[in-house]
Amino acid sequence: MAREGLPFLAVCAVLVAAALLWARDGGWGARSATPAGLAVLALFVAWFFRDPERRAPDGAGVVVSPADGKVMSVEAVDGEDFMAGTATRVTIFLSIFDVHVQRAPLGGRVRHYSYRGGRYLPAWRPEAGSINEQATLGIETEAGPVVVRQIAGLVARRIVTYPREGGSVAAGDRIGLIRFGSRVDLFVPPEWAVAVQRGEAVRGGETVVARVAG
């Protein structure tokens, strides 16, 4: 379980305990059903913040998915932040049922980090990538720069990013988490071969989404 979920789980546990005390002498009805409902909520919170172990595939030059979810689009765009020129953007939508821990797509050194507040439009809307709350991580790899952008969605209200400028990451390392529904954009150099297409399901840290050129 991701550590960010522990405060939520603790609150649920307190609510369940309080509901049990309240329902202890209440007989059948709403008082007896409330603890069960809160227990289900606690189980959902624990499940939502699950953080399964993942192993990046072997092989040089493979770029793994930074998130669980479904590929919304693959398209050429202008370079982002410390990426000059153009880039290929792979957009992944995370539903509330997906694992919400993000992972490094490739090993390298973190050269850029920025956070920007914003709105909370549904993450699947195209304009969400430019106006929603977001955090951007730029990684310089041996093969070239990549950018991972965490974008909050309609329900998400908190983006957590672990690495900072000057740190290093390995492919598949945990790099952050977005709470309750979101989107992740991956930017890679245009000459890299993308290995996924729109509508495809991907798993963070495991699914190969691109391969470096050469």
Side-chain angles (χ1 to χ4, degrees), residues 29-56:
R31 292 182 69 170
S32 60
T34 299
L38 290 172
V40 170
L41 176 62
L43 289 174
F44 173 77
V45 168
W47 176 78
F48 177 85
F49 284 101
R50 65 197 185 280
D51 184 12
E53 292 296 330
R54 299 283 173 81
R55 180 175 179 177

Side-chain angles (χ1 to χ4, degrees), residues 69 77-78 83 141 170:
V77 296
D78 292 334
M83 290 183 72
T141 78

Side-chain angles (χ1 to χ4, degrees), residues 6-81:
L6 294 177
F8 292 91
L9 191 60
V11 170
C12 287
V14 170
L15 291 175
V16 170
L20 285 171
L21 291 174
W22 177 63
R24 183 172 50 185
D25 301 318
W28 295 102
R31 292 182 69 170
S32 60
T34 299
L38 290 172
V40 170
L41 176 62
L43 289 174
F44 173 77
V45 168
W47 176 78
F48 177 85
F49 284 101
R50 65 197 185 280
D51 184 12
E53 292 296 330
R54 299 283 173 81
R55 180 175 179 177
D58 296 328
V62 297
V63 183
V64 297
S65 176
D68 286 32
K70 182 174 290 187
V71 177
M72 291 175 55
S73 64
V74 178
E75 56 187 334
V77 296
D78 292 334
E80 291 293 326
D81 296 298

Side-chain angles (χ1 to χ4, degrees), residues 69-74 90-93 196-202:
K70 182 174 290 187
V71 177
M72 291 175 55
S73 64
V74 178
V90 179
T91 297
I92 302 168
F93 174 71
V196 293
Q197 58 187 352
R198 181 179 178 181
E200 186 171 342
V202 294

Side-chain angles (χ1 to χ4, degrees), residues 44 47-50 67-72 92-102 123-124 151 153-156 178-184 201-202:
F44 173 77
W47 176 78
F48 177 85
F49 284 101
R50 65 197 185 280
D68 286 32
K70 182 174 290 187
V71 177
M72 291 175 55
I92 302 168
F93 174 71
L94 293 75
S95 78
I96 199 169
F97 302 107
D98 289 311
V99 173
H100 276 64
V101 175
Q102 283 79 60
W124 60 81
I151 303 171
L154 179 64
V155 183
I178 314 174
R179 294 177 185 165
F180 304 116
S182 49
R183 164 180 158 183
V184 174
V202 294

